[in-house]
Amino acid sequence: MSMRFFSIISFFLAVPATVYACEGDCIVAITDAFVGNYSLPVHTVMRSMARQISLSLPSHPDEETSMGFLEPVLTAYHKDAYQRMETAIFPNYFHGKCLDDQGVEPAGCPNPDCPIVCGTPGSLVHHYPKLRYIAFNETFHRIQALCTPGTDTYNRVEKMVMDAADSGPGNSRRSYSRVFPRALSNAVNVAHNNKGSGAVSGSGSGSGSGSGNGSGNGFGTGSRSGSHHDSVPASRPKASSGDRASSKMLVPIFLKRDEDVRSRFAETMKQVRELFGDVCGGNGSEETNGLPECSWEDQMKAYILSYP
């Protein structure tokens, strides 16, 4: 008799009670579904940013190369995408029992369509418009944070982009001698002639024989005509105004090229929210039937209700 009673108790203990909250496998499955759904929108946004980065570089690298610059952002995003999404959906919003202010469970709760915000599949279905925006905002905010100036991911991406600007075809540092060959040549000749010619030319066309008022000070009238500060060494070429302007522009052009690339890169990294809005068809504000391209409403509701 006692053995039979023990067997019956053991049987009931072995059969799990029906759970109507979204727990365990339900939480994991729904979180994974949203992270997986957003893999394409995230990739589309990154690809758009990669194209803009490519256009800002003199070498215009292909899409695969430009996507490589953004790898630190994608790696950091994927590292904690699941955990952040789970936290945003469940502990932060959908949790607890489905009871109204009087402590009563309303009709439709816990399933299939529960008007109370609680941790059940029926509540997730009823409040799907909110759930949709939670998933959207978590995704774009995370990518936006990783693309913020001063962060490790931003700095790493920026370094790769600037290295590409410095080393790729069309780089100003490699081509400046072809752009300004005459200016550089004249600058070298002037420096060389100044070094070797000294301050005074020995064969002027002066009016005297070297004797006279200037004999005691080393600037005799026979050595050159006119005052000493107006003379130019015979072997020193006079640079044209265009050459002088070009030589003065050399360093600023280097800096301007780098600053242009850096500035355009910064503008690209600021566009995360706008790009997600373009891809998903909304801006993250809660509107009826918003985010039509990132909703997956019918499929997700059916999937959610597949869990008791």
Side-chain angles (χ1 to χ4, degrees):
M1 187 74 159
S2 60
M3 283 294 294
R4 185 183 175 197
F5 177 76
F6 178 78
S7 297
I8 292 173
I9 294 297
S10 299
F11 173 78
F12 280 110
L13 290 176
V15 177
T18 301
V19 177
Y20 291 103
C22 186
E23 299 173 338
D25 291 345
C26 175
I27 289 176
V28 172
I30 292 172
T31 301
D32 273 338
F34 274 111
V35 173
N37 287 346
Y38 268 99
S39 61
L40 180 57
V42 167
H43 182 75
T44 302
V45 167
M46 292 291 102
R47 194 168 62 230
S48 178
M49 295 172 71
R51 283 196 295 268
Q52 293 184 47
I53 290 172
S54 175
L55 292 173
S56 73
L57 291 170
S59 57
H60 301 310
D62 59 27
E63 183 176 301
E64 182 179 356
T65 301
S66 298
M67 283 291 286
F69 300 147
L70 294 166
E71 185 61 32
V73 173
L74 287 169
T75 298
Y77 166 73
H78 288 301
K79 183 178 180 180
D80 59 4
Y82 172 86
Q83 191 57 56
R84 296 178 69 91
M85 185 69 79
E86 178 185 307
T87 301
I89 294 174
F90 291 98
N92 285 1
Y93 196 81
F94 292 99
H95 62 275
K97 296 180 179 180
C98 304
L99 303 177
D100 61 20
D101 294 340
Q102 287 72 43
V104 177
E105 189 174 80
C109 296
N111 293 324
D113 190 344
C114 182
I116 303 296
V117 175
C118 54
T120 68
S123 182
L124 271 69
V125 166
H126 183 89
H127 298 283
Y128 192 83
K130 177 65 177 181
L131 176 57
R132 173 173 53 215
Y133 281 102
I134 289 173
F136 173 83
N137 284 315
E138 169 54 39
T139 302
F140 104 74
H141 276 303
R142 181 56 178 155
I143 297 292
Q144 187 176 57
L146 294 170
C147 294
T148 298
T151 59
D152 177 66
T153 45
Y154 182 98
N155 292 341
R156 289 168 61 192
V157 176
E158 182 184 54
K159 183 180 185 304
M160 286 191 284
V161 170
M162 297 310 298
D163 286 348
D166 290 344
S167 63
N171 169 43
S172 58
R173 284 176 173 76
R174 299 177 63 182
S175 62
Y176 68 88
S177 61
R178 295 192 297 274
V179 176
F180 302 112
R182 185 173 61 172
L184 289 174
S185 177
N186 286 346
V188 172
N189 289 336
V190 167
H192 175 75
N193 291 331
N194 280 347
K195 182 177 179 180
S197 64
V200 180
S201 172
S203 59
S205 57
S207 59
S209 61
S211 63
N213 294 334
S215 60
N217 58 18
F219 292 100
T221 58
S223 63
R224 55 184 176 171
S225 63
S227 60
H228 67 276
H229 57 271
D230 290 332
S231 64
V232 177
S235 60
R236 177 177 178 176
K238 290 186 178 181
S240 69
S241 59
D243 291 340
R244 286 195 299 271
S246 297
S247 61
K248 290 178 182 178
M249 289 171 60
L250 285 173
V251 173
I253 282 177
F254 296 152
L255 299 178
K256 187 175 187 302
R257 172 69 64 84
D258 279 359
E259 287 309 308
D260 284 348
V261 172
R262 195 184 304 275
S263 176
R264 293 181 66 180
F265 168 74
E267 287 301 314
T268 296
M269 298 292 269
K270 290 178 182 178
Q271 296 178 25
V272 172
R273 180 164 190 161
E274 178 183 343
L275 292 172
F276 267 103
D278 291 343
V279 171
C280 292
N283 59 10
S285 61
E286 295 181 39
E287 302 171 356
T288 303
N289 299 322
L291 305 173
E293 304 305 321
C294 296
S295 174
W296 313 288
E297 183 168 356
D298 292 339
Q299 302 94 319
M300 284 300 299
K301 283 184 175 181
Y303 186 64
I304 290 168
L305 289 176
S306 70
Y307 290 86

